[in-house]
Amino acid sequence: MTIKERNYWLDTVAEPAAGATGALPDKVDVAVVGGGLCGLSAARVLAQRGVRVTLFEAESLGWGASCRNGGMVLTGMKLPVPTLIKRYGREVVQRMYAASLESIDLVERIVNEEGIDCDFSRCGHLEVACKQAHFDDYAAAAARIKNEFQHELRIIPKNALQSEIGSPIYFGGMVDESSASVNPARYVNGLAKAAQRHGACLFDHTRVTSVSSQPNGASGSFRVETTRGTLTAKEVFLASGAYTSEATPTLRRKVIPIGSYIIATEVLPEALAAEVSPRNRMIYDSKHFLYYYRLTPDNRMLFGGRAAFFPESESMVRESAELLRQGMIQVYPQLRDTKVHYVWGGTLDFAMDVMPHAGKIEGMYFAVGFAGHGVAAATWMGAKLAGVICGDPDDNPFSGIPFPAAPLGLRSGNTWALPLAGAYYKVLDWLT
Ligand SMILES: Cc1cc2nc3c(=O)[nH]c(=O)nc-3n(C[C@H](O)[C@H](O)[C@H](O)COP(=O)(O)OP(=O)(O)OC[C@H]3O[C@@H](n4cnc5c(N)ncnc54)[C@H](O)[C@@H]3O)c2cc1C
């Protein structure tokens, strides 16, 4: 069988949400740019609260990272806790961590309230140590997290690791039972339909080409030009992630787009699936250039990694199939003869400081920088900012923290230096 260069998750969606048809309204309360998890989550809450909201997605709904990811609904943030506390102070970081836990509860609540059939499961995640030194750091990291956030992580020594993962190559692991798994495409699809049911107007295949403040200077009033026509919006919410375009150049300069690629194998026999992942965890390793992997609900091995640091491209998708298969066999020699059925890629949105950011830019609301935590974090941030637009107090710990621009060469639309950054992290993985 030839490998399908296609996102496996999309093949599991029976009835994709249909975008709105017909003319644009002249005026809306809020225009949302981007129909991924962040934009759809915001649109759902805004519509629920009686706000006239119109969302624009340049491609199909969920076309960006939101349908292409590993479906890992993860706790925590990318950076180590001491680094975070040093940067932002204990109180802010405690609120950030609480938000990361709350975001998983929110995904679960939305799935239940809206009746979304997307295989949400509180299966927990497992981080595996690629080096003894990485494992040696786990105990201190877990103690710190318990101390600071009263959140429990479990350390798994190498001699007990077989109960968690059928791989001989790791030095131990750390489990967080709060994390979850989801079928991301079905989740996005259900979220879009829920937003529509509540009254949000979702235009797919409609690109926003420019946003400008109204010429009369009226504050809180924007002219939004799209490929389907123009409208006026009291507020604009930029939820365009790694795909942020020249339509909003100031935000674009802050986003670092990094490619990530995934393969999905044929369906594994039940015994083999139970051997490779006995507890069905969401798994990732301790490197910078990391692998992340899991079983799909129908027992395929879904294995992802940053095969390159470029934004996603067709040629990289093709090359990734073999690169990732080799990585998968290193982890799981027993999958040597397992066939790869799917390969696809997507682009993650990083900020220079590896943090999520939200707030206002040139008068528009925005939320970006979710990196590999966006399934939960983008859902939460979209809903949170929607609340702020409706007048809730802004107690979001991620708004108002400094948001550095990306250096030339790393930023969206100008990424020539990304391979150098990739090489740097590879060397770092080798050295540390
Ligand atoms: C391969 C891969 C694996 C990942 N794995 C995980 C994981 O397991 N767990 C996890 O938590 N996170 C993961 N992530 C990250 C996660 O998917 C993202 O952080 C999250 O989906 C971001 O959601 P978003 O709504 O902000 O952006 P997106 O889903 O990228 O949506 C942005 C949308 O905006 C649209 N857009 C941009 N500009 C315009 C415009 N001018 N007009 C109209 N529309 C526009 C784009 O077409 C796009 O669809 C992964 C990402 C990738 C790529």
Side-chain angles (χ1 to χ4, degrees), residues 15-16 22 46 63 146 162 171 234 310 331 340-341 358 364 368 423:
E15 287 171 33
L46 289 165
W63 174 88
K146 184 159 177 9
Q162 224 180 345
F171 291 80
K234 285 188 201 151
F310 296 107
V331 175
V340 174
H341 277 189
M364 296 173 278
V368 288

Side-chain angles (χ1 to χ4, degrees), residues 51 96 118 124 137 190 207 217 228 276 284 294 300 345 379 407 414:
V51 173
M96 288 174 172
C118 60
D137 290 343
R207 178 171 290 282
R228 206 182 275 256
V276 295
Y284 57 86
R294 59 169 288 182
R300 296 167 193 274
T379 302
N414 188 344

Side-chain angles (χ1 to χ4, degrees), residues 34 36-38 57-58 64-66 69-70 72 208 243 292 346 348 371-375:
L37 284 169
C38 187
E57 166 53 52
S66 294
N69 58 62
M72 303 189 174
V208 171
Y243 300 89
Y292 52 93
L348 295 132
H373 282 65
V375 175

Side-chain angles (χ1 to χ4, degrees), residues 151-172:
H151 185 67
E152 198 88 44
L153 303 178
R154 200 152 43 79
I155 308 293
I156 317 285
K158 188 171 174 65
N159 62 13
L161 201 55
Q162 224 180 345
S163 65
E164 291 285 341
I165 179 171
S167 169
I169 68 168
Y170 297 112
F171 291 80

Side-chain angles (χ1 to χ4, degrees), residues 2-275:
T2 51
I3 300 172
K4 289 191 204 170
E5 285 168 27
R6 178 176 161 78
N7 176 352
Y8 157 75
W9 297 119
L10 292 179
D11 279 0
T12 68
V13 176
E15 287 171 33
T21 51
L24 298 189
D26 288 339
K27 283 186 183 168
V28 293
D29 296 322
V30 181
V32 178
V33 184
L37 284 169
C38 187
L40 292 169
S41 174
R44 171 181 170 271
V45 170
L46 289 165
Q48 266 179 330
R49 295 181 66 166
V51 173
R52 282 176 314 155
V53 53
T54 292
L55 176 148
F56 297 108
E57 166 53 52
E59 309 285 342
S60 50
L61 295 168
W63 174 88
S66 294
C67 278
R68 305 166 187 235
N69 58 62
M72 303 189 174
V73 192
L74 301 173
T75 52
M77 285 167 286
K78 291 282 299 171
L79 293 176
V81 173
T83 312
L84 290 167
I85 292 181
K86 200 165 158 207
R87 251 195 222 169
Y88 306 114
R90 174 161 285 115
E91 191 267 338
V92 172
V93 176
Q94 281 174 340
R95 289 196 290 124
M96 288 174 172
Y97 204 87
S100 99
L101 298 177
E102 206 181 296
S103 66
I104 296 175
D105 295 341
L106 177 64
V107 173
E108 185 168 32
R109 207 162 57 240
I110 292 173
V111 167
N112 291 334
E113 276 176 18
E114 305 291 358
I116 302 176
D117 176 12
C118 60
D119 297 301
F120 179 91
S121 159
R122 285 272 186 173
C123 55
H125 84 245
L126 167 72
E127 178 178 333
V128 279
C130 296
K131 295 185 179 179
Q132 184 61 44
H134 297 181
F135 179 71
D136 294 343
D137 290 343
Y138 281 175
R144 185 110 200 200
I145 284 171
K146 184 159 177 9
N147 236 356
E148 298 289 352
F149 316 124
Q150 293 72 56
H151 185 67
E152 198 88 44
L153 303 178
R154 200 152 43 79
I155 308 293
I156 317 285
K158 188 171 174 65
N159 62 13
L161 201 55
Q162 224 180 345
S163 65
E164 291 285 341
I165 179 171
S167 169
I169 68 168
Y170 297 112
F171 291 80
M174 186 159 60
V175 166
D176 189 331
E177 300 283 357
S178 305
S179 293
S181 64
V182 76
N183 173 328
R186 283 197 184 181
Y187 172 47
V188 169
N189 195 46
L191 192 59
K193 288 183 176 175
Q196 286 173 323
R197 268 197 310 278
H198 293 296
C201 190
L202 312 180
F203 283 99
D204 58 358
H205 302 288
T206 308
R207 178 171 290 282
V208 171
T209 50
S210 80
V211 185
S212 48
S213 298
Q214 285 286 65
N216 62 9
S219 72
S221 179
F222 297 89
R223 182 182 155 86
V224 180
E225 289 182 31
T226 80
T227 46
R228 206 182 275 256
T230 301
L231 60 66
T232 306
K234 285 188 201 151
E235 304 288 357
V236 170
F237 186 160
L238 306 178
S240 41
Y243 300 89
T244 300
S245 71
E246 262 312 296
T248 53
T250 308
L251 185 61
R252 193 186 201 203
R253 280 197 285 276
K254 306 231 179 199
V255 177
I256 304 179
I258 294 185
S260 188
Y261 300 83
I262 297 182
I263 53 173
T265 66
E266 63 186 314
V267 174
L268 305 183
E270 214 158 292
L272 184 56
E275 179 192 327

